[in-house]
Amino acid sequence: SSDLVAWRRSKFDLISHTWVEYCDTFDEVGRPVGQKDRVALLSLLRAKTTDDRICVVSTHLARNPELEELDKLRCRQVGQVVRRLGSFVTEHDARSAPVVLLGDMNATSFRKLLGMSSAATLLRKDETFVHPFIFECADVPSGPTSCTAARNVRIDAILYQQSCLELTAVGDLPVLSPEDPIPNKDHPSDHVPITSTFRVFSEQEVAKYWAREWYLEVAGVRGGSLPLGPDQLAIAFSFFDRNRDGRMSIAELRNSVSSLVGTAGTSEEELGSGLSSLPQ
């Protein structure tokens, strides 16, 4: 495998790390049979200046992105990562730490891959904590990342948790052409790197994000895009409970909702129509 998590020691401390060894097959009782040569590395880092924590996951999924029949295998691998991610952050009391997952996904549709993985994760009948990353992650926009004699595709990705990270900058990718496939004299690999810069949200910004998702769902304005678990509901409630008395009054709700206008594409008309259905 070719996974790596590196950090500047002057900026970050490593709190802990773990890994996932992918397994492609299981026996009749669900036990893994035979490990493959692909893994995922999970690292929990702490910023020295702000004390913010962030979980970075690096992986390399099953090869041959042109073979759609392997999407189920890649979906299973993402599911293994998500389950280990949930237990890893729980072990270190880091469920609120933003997550970034990056690497060679070997899939031509990240949305399809994540959609299949999230559905499979929800259908499992165990008590494993399901990390919300799988439902709310966004991908850093980029052009093709692998342009060889055989393919010209975007298969590498940086996926980030949009409830607690703001994408502030994306690095330029070199212009690739099938007439000059890579590797070549300028690019020694058959992949080109994606780079990006993020800002970690404050606790208030995270609460505002989940408050908007909750409100749009319960007000019936439009279907909420994300399932809210107990952790997210508690965070959303803290945004509306302005006087911290453990209750949410209609007045608090109205005042709080007005501050959500323009948040993540939410219009005043959407919020207003939801408020009109509330008791006076």
Side-chain angles (χ1 to χ4, degrees), residues 202-223:
S202 67
E203 289 186 3
Q204 180 67 7
E205 288 173 308
V206 174
K208 189 173 185 178
Y209 178 92
W210 288 116
R212 180 188 66 88
E213 290 295 322
W214 174 84
Y215 174 77
L216 292 176
E217 181 67 33
V218 300
V221 178
R222 55 182 165 94

Side-chain angles (χ1 to χ4, degrees), residues 11-255:
K11 300 293 185 180
F12 295 94
D13 289 321
L14 176 65
I15 299 175
S16 184
H17 72 281
T18 188
W19 60 88
V20 175
E21 295 185 67
Y22 292 134
C23 184
D24 295 351
T25 56
F26 298 82
D27 64 17
E28 62 279 1
V29 295
R31 292 174 299 196
V33 179
Q35 304 288 7
K36 297 297 181 179
D37 62 346
R38 298 180 190 276
V39 301
L41 302 178
L42 294 78
S43 300
L44 183 61
L45 304 173
R46 177 186 289 113
K48 291 187 174 182
T49 55
T50 64
D51 212 36
D52 288 324
R53 294 182 295 175
I54 185 168
C55 186
V56 180
V57 183
S58 175
T59 192
H60 190 171
L61 301 184
R63 59 182 301 178
N64 296 329
E66 67 279 1
L67 299 179
E68 290 191 7
E69 58 266 30
L70 291 180
D71 282 344
K72 291 183 180 179
L73 173 57
R74 287 184 278 267
C75 164
R76 187 182 304 136
Q77 292 174 339
V78 172
Q80 292 177 56
V81 173
V82 171
R83 288 192 293 277
R84 185 66 189 99
L85 174 63
S87 60
F88 178 60
V89 297
T90 300
E91 291 165 9
H92 297 283
D93 192 25
R95 288 190 180 185
S96 61
V99 175
V100 176
L101 187 153
L102 45 85
D104 183 353
M105 304 300 166
N106 268 324
T108 54
S109 173
F110 302 146
R111 287 295 99 195
K112 177 181 177 182
L113 176 65
L114 294 168
M116 292 171 60
S117 300
S118 59
T121 299
L122 287 174
L123 289 172
R124 287 182 63 89
K125 297 181 179 180
D126 56 32
E127 299 298 321
T128 303
F129 165 64
V130 178
H131 201 288
F133 171 84
I134 189 62
F135 307 111
E136 56 156 307
C137 65
D139 62 290
V140 172
S142 74
T145 59
S146 182
C147 183
T148 68
R151 66 192 185 194
N152 183 20
V153 291
R154 177 186 183 229
I155 55 177
D156 303 277
I158 300 176
L159 307 175
Y160 64 98
Q161 204 171 346
Q162 58 183 339
S163 68
C164 41
L165 289 172
E166 178 189 6
L167 178 63
T168 59
V170 179
D172 294 329
L173 284 182
V175 177
L176 303 177
S177 170
E179 285 71 40
D180 185 20
I182 56 175
N184 57 30
K185 61 182 179 61
D186 297 316
H187 306 290
S189 170
D190 61 348
H191 296 254
V192 293
I194 309 170
T195 60
S196 57
T197 304
F198 297 98
R199 181 182 68 85
V200 178
F201 282 172
S202 67
E203 289 186 3
Q204 180 67 7
E205 288 173 308
V206 174
K208 189 173 185 178
Y209 178 92
W210 288 116
R212 180 188 66 88
E213 290 295 322
W214 174 84
Y215 174 77
L216 292 176
E217 181 67 33
V218 300
V221 178
R222 55 182 165 94
S225 59
L226 305 173
L228 275 69
D231 292 344
Q232 291 75 47
L233 288 172
I235 294 171
F237 179 79
S238 70
F239 180 82
F240 293 111
D241 182 20
R242 295 301 181 94
N243 62 6
R244 299 297 187 261
D245 65 353
R247 299 181 179 183
M248 181 172 62
S249 67
I250 293 297
E252 285 179 316
L253 178 59
R254 288 181 175 278
N255 291 334

